[in-house]
Amino acid sequence: MASSGEEPRSGSPGRAGTGTEPAPTADTAQLDTAEDFEVLEEEEEEEEEDLSELPPLEDVGRPPALPRGDAQPLERGRGDAAEDPQEWLDVLGSGLLKKKTLVPGQGVDTRPRKGQDVTIRLKATLEDGSVVEENPALTFTLGDCDVLQALDLCVQLLEMGETALIVSDAKYCYGAQGRSPDVPPNAALTLEVELLAARDAPDLELLSGKEKVELANRKRERGNFFYQQADYVLAINSYDIALKVISSSSKVDFSPDEEAELLDVKVKCLNNLAASQLKLDHYEAALKSCNLVLEHQPGNIKALFRKGKVLAQQGEYREAIPILKAALKLEPSNKTIHAELSKLVKKHADQKNVETEMYRKMLGNPSAAGAPGKCKDKLPWSIPWKWLFGATAIALGGVALSVVIAARN
C-alpha cells in the first residue's frame, strides 16, 4: 500500500466500492462465541480484534470462491475491448462480470500490474440507480484482494486514463450477505471506474515501524472482513500477506514500542489464521499457527484453546485436556473453555472404556470370583497386555521356526 495511510473512503467506513469491512458493532463484535471461543465482557475490546466463530459455511450461503487462475480469460478479451470502446467484454466468460470502455485510455502498455498500488475514481450503484459509493481517489494494492473482487479483476484491464463501466453479479461484490444497510443480499452492482494512477508498491525494507504496522493492520482487517463473510480461503490469504509484511527484513531501525506493536499484530494475525484454518479442517496448519503464537506468548488463551481444539479434532484427547486446563487456569470464569473441557474429559473417558473393553475381549474375560485370592497378583490377565502380546508373538515365532526346520529335515 502507499505510505499515505488509510485507504480514501467516502461517507462511513466500509462503503461499497472499497470492500472494506464496516466498523465493529454490537453484533459483529460477538465473534468469539459458540463452538470456537467465547470472550467475556471484559475482553470485548480484544474480541473485536481477534475473531473466532461464525455460522458454518453451509449456513451462510456464500457463493463459490472466485477461481484464482483468471489470467488467461482476461488476456483473451483485451484486444476486443480496445478495438470497440462500446463493446461489452465478458471478463470471465460466464456473463457474471462485464466491462465496457466509456473513455479510451492511453494504450495497453499503460495497464497496471498485480502488486502495484493503483488509484481509481469510483462510483457504485444498485440496479435501481441508487448510489451506494462515490470515491474520488480510492487507492489499493492490485491483486491483494483489498477491495471487491469485481474491482480487483477488472482494474487490471484498464488503461491509464480509461473510464469504464463494470456490471458485476453479487458473487463478485457482497454476495448473499450483502452489506447493511445500503447493499441488499444478492445485489448486483454497476461500477463506474476511472484509472488515475499506478505505481510500484513501496519497498517493505524501507518502511518505518509505524508504516509497517499500518500496512499489516490493513491487510489483517481485510482478512477479518473475509472471515465475517465466511470466505476463509481469502481470509487466510490476507492474513498471510499481513504476516509477510511483518516478517520482511528492514533497513530501518524500529523503536521498542514499534517492535511491540508489530509483535501484537503478528499474534493477532496468527490467531485469526488458526481460526480460519480450523474452519477449513486444516488441522496441521492450524496447530502450527497456534504454536507460533505460543512461542511468543505462552499464556495466550485463544492460542491455547484453539490448540486444544485442534488436538481434540484429531482425537488426541490425552494431549488436548492439559492444554485446555492451562487455558482455564488463566481464565477460570470462561464458560466456553469449561464446556469444551468437560466434553473432552467425557470423550476421553469413553475412549478409555472402549479400549479397556477391547483388551478384555482380546485377552479373555475371566471371573474375579473364580480366582484364588492369594494368587490374584499372579493371574495372567494382570500382566500388562503389551508384554503378553510380545511373549505370544515370540512363542508363535518359535513354533513357526521349528516347523520350517522340521520341514527342511
Side-chain angles (χ1 to χ4, degrees), residues 72-125:
Q72 292 303 319
L74 296 178
E75 290 293 337
R76 285 197 296 269
R78 287 183 175 180
D80 297 337
E83 293 173 3
D84 185 355
Q86 297 303 316
E87 182 178 349
W88 284 100
L89 169 65
D90 189 350
V91 176
L92 299 175
S94 62
L96 300 180
L97 184 63
K98 297 184 293 183
K99 166 191 172 289
K100 180 169 71 172
T101 299
L102 301 180
V103 178
Q106 300 172 13
V108 175
D109 293 341
T110 64
R111 285 175 175 163
R113 304 183 307 276
K114 287 184 178 181
Q116 287 189 313
D117 287 343
V118 297
T119 301
I120 62 172
R121 177 183 62 80
L122 173 69
K123 180 179 179 181
T125 59

Side-chain angles (χ1 to χ4, degrees), residues 32-50:
D32 280 327
T33 56
E35 67 175 23
D36 251 344
F37 198 75
E38 178 181 4
V39 173
L40 305 181
E41 291 182 2
E42 62 267 24
E43 292 290 325
E44 185 174 356
E45 181 178 351
E46 173 68 14
E47 187 174 350
E48 293 177 0
E49 299 292 341
D50 188 12

Side-chain angles (χ1 to χ4, degrees), residues 60 104 180 209 226 230 245 253-254 273 281 318 339 350 381 408:
V60 175
S180 180
F226 285 124
V245 171
D253 293 330
F254 299 152
L273 181 62
D281 296 337
R318 188 189 303 272
D350 292 343
W381 48 85
R408 287 184 175 179

Side-chain angles (χ1 to χ4, degrees), residues 241-301:
I241 293 174
L243 289 168
K244 288 176 182 177
V245 171
I246 296 168
S247 302
S248 61
S249 59
S250 179
K251 297 178 180 178
V252 180
D253 293 330
F254 299 152
S255 69
D257 287 344
E258 289 172 336
E259 292 281 7
E261 281 189 89
L262 284 169
L263 178 59
D264 181 60
V265 178
K266 180 178 181 179
V267 166
K268 288 176 181 177
C269 287
L270 287 169
N271 255 332
N272 291 349
L273 181 62
S276 302
Q277 292 163 335
L278 192 55
K279 286 291 186 182
L280 297 175
D281 296 337
H282 296 170
Y283 298 132
E284 292 301 325
L287 189 62
K288 180 179 179 181
S289 297
C290 291
N291 285 334
L292 287 172
V293 173
L294 296 172
E295 285 180 11
H296 297 293
Q297 297 180 358
N300 189 289
I301 296 175

Side-chain angles (χ1 to χ4, degrees), residues 202-218:
D203 188 343
L204 295 179
E205 291 187 339
L206 301 179
L207 292 181
S208 68
K210 182 180 179 180
E211 290 171 330
K212 262 196 175 184
V213 168
E214 289 176 349
L215 177 57
N217 264 325
R218 284 199 296 272

Side-chain angles (χ1 to χ4, degrees), residues 1 68 141-146 152 204 212 215-220 222-223 226 234-248 269 273:
M1 297 291 292
R68 305 302 298 171
T141 304
L142 190 60
D144 274 12
C145 300
D146 290 343
D152 225 4
L204 295 179
K212 262 196 175 184
L215 177 57
N217 264 325
R218 284 199 296 272
K219 303 300 183 181
R220 178 183 62 82
R222 188 60 182 167
F226 285 124
L234 290 182
I236 288 172
N237 177 70
S238 293
Y239 295 138
D240 278 338
I241 293 174
L243 289 168
K244 288 176 182 177
V245 171
I246 296 168
S247 302
S248 61
C269 287
L273 181 62

